[in-house]
Amino acid sequence: MSTVLVTGAGGEIGHSLLDHFAQQQNTKVIAVDLAQLPPAYAQKVHKVYQADISDPNLISDLESEDISELYHLAALLSTSAEKNPERAHAVNVNGTLGLLTLSRKIGERVGVPVKFLFPSTIAVYGLKSLEQKQQAGAVNEDQYLTPTTMYGINKLYCEQLGGYMSDRYGQLSASASKKNVDFRALRFPGLISATTIPSGGTSDYAPEMIHAAAQGKPYACFVRPDTRIPFMAMPDGVKALVQLAAANADALTKRVYNIGAFAPSAEEIAEMVQGAFPAAQITYEPHMKRQAIVDSWCADVNDSAARKDWGWVPDYDLNKAFNDYLIPIISSVYAG
Ligand code: AKB
């Protein structure tokens, strides 16, 4: 029986990850979330801590748990973080440092490194202009690392912090060679779930457009029709996390991996939505500041390292995401 800690368990990825672990026989899940977990999800886990991840009391309460894998999903996303940058720093950075320290202590006590799975983001990229974005195309992990948002800065720093905690923590001390944390990160594109609606992100226009159409509501898209960033269907996001966690450490040449699936423009998403829901009313009312944020993100990612090192292949391209996952499930959710 292995024990897995999931922070931000009540969020979009959290729900899908809890669904995944509920199917596993030998996994005990401890969930952490600021809000109360809906009863259907609370039933799927062994224990729930309703707490703020930046609270040091939570970290000391968790120290006695024999956690072998930690999925640190709790974060303030890009739009929320711009509204409250200090709070974003406290949650996104201090919260992550606390959990890395927790993992280090547990790893040391148990004698096996704790696997620390960290969802990073395409917000770590900062393209200077639309011309540069177009020329760059699918970016590699080490290019354009000049984020423009608090969220992107927080995530990029935490990627470095995770690597440090894994490989060089206290490098001048006598016990430094001992590895207590095995940090692994994925740079997620915008995620689209059929069962939950995101809040606080800037890639939210795609899921918002689809969910509005399924409910027969008009939608004013907050970015221009030509806006392009990578997206992924939620089941692929969960698959990537679980696959990276299971990968053999010797096969991993990086601590941080891009993962891609499809990269449509807002207009191409609107066309897919209109095809599925012909009565959909989609208009464009770009919000200048949110537009600037997505314009600074890459148009696509090069995920060849993930493909080569741990066999990453998405199950859903744009057509399959709409036809086999989003439309059937969303339609039944709102019909029901
Ligand atoms: C956001 O929009 O902030 C997130 C992300 C791309 O990381 N969905």
Side-chain angles (χ1 to χ4, degrees), residues 186-268:
L186 289 170
R187 288 195 186 141
F188 275 118
L191 289 169
I192 313 179
S193 167
T195 51
T196 53
I197 307 181
S199 66
T202 320
S203 61
D204 293 2
Y205 59 90
E208 283 175 3
M209 196 186 282
I210 304 165
H211 283 266
Q215 294 171 83
K217 293 183 184 164
Y219 184 68
C221 179
F222 61 81
V223 297
R224 292 185 317 269
D226 67 314
T227 305
R228 189 181 297 278
I229 58 167
F231 282 98
M232 179 176 286
M234 185 58 84
D236 272 336
V238 171
K239 178 176 109 161
L241 273 172
V242 172
Q243 246 184 0
L244 180 59
N248 187 334
D250 296 338
L252 302 181
T253 58
K254 293 177 181 294
R255 292 234 167 255
V256 180
Y257 287 92
N258 279 341
I259 44 164
F262 45 89
S265 67
E267 192 171 31
E268 285 161 0

Side-chain angles (χ1 to χ4, degrees), residues 43 52 71 77 143 185 252:
Q43 273 171 19
D52 185 329
Y71 293 77
L77 300 184
Q143 291 181 297
L252 302 181

Side-chain angles (χ1 to χ4, degrees), residues 56-188:
N57 293 325
L58 169 71
I59 303 298
S60 50
D61 286 351
L62 290 168
E63 261 174 46
S64 58
E65 306 280 3
D66 289 347
I67 296 159
S68 55
E69 280 179 19
L70 195 160
Y71 293 77
H72 174 31
L73 311 178
L76 255 73
L77 300 184
S78 51
T79 291
S80 301
E82 288 314 303
K83 292 182 181 159
N84 196 344
E86 283 76 19
R87 171 89 185 125
H89 194 279
V91 173
N92 295 351
V93 175
N94 301 350
T96 303
L97 176 62
L99 289 160
L100 282 165
T101 305
L102 170 75
S103 304
R104 187 176 54 70
K105 288 183 179 167
I106 295 175
E108 193 167 21
R109 174 169 58 74
V110 174
V112 181
V114 172
K115 277 189 197 161
F116 194 109
L117 276 297
F118 185 67
S120 190
T121 168
I122 52 164
V124 299
Y125 297 112
L127 286 300
K128 300 269 181 265
S129 63
L130 286 177
E131 292 71 50
Q132 190 181 54
K133 174 167 172 158
Q134 208 181 349
Q135 271 165 17
V139 304
N140 295 330
E141 283 87 350
D142 54 0
Q143 291 181 297
Y144 306 104
L145 295 175
T146 48
T148 62
T149 59
M150 186 56 148
Y151 171 66
I153 292 166
N154 294 164
K155 287 284 186 177
L156 184 58
Y157 171 64
C158 288
E159 289 179 359
Q160 304 278 320
L161 197 57
Y164 170 78
M165 292 296 243
S166 291
D167 301 327
R168 288 177 301 285
Y169 177 76
Q171 52 195 308
L172 297 185
S173 74
S175 60
S177 60
K178 197 162 168 325
K179 303 245 178 288
N180 295 314
V181 183
D182 177 356
F183 179 85
R184 304 175 180 200
L186 289 170
R187 288 195 186 141
F188 275 118

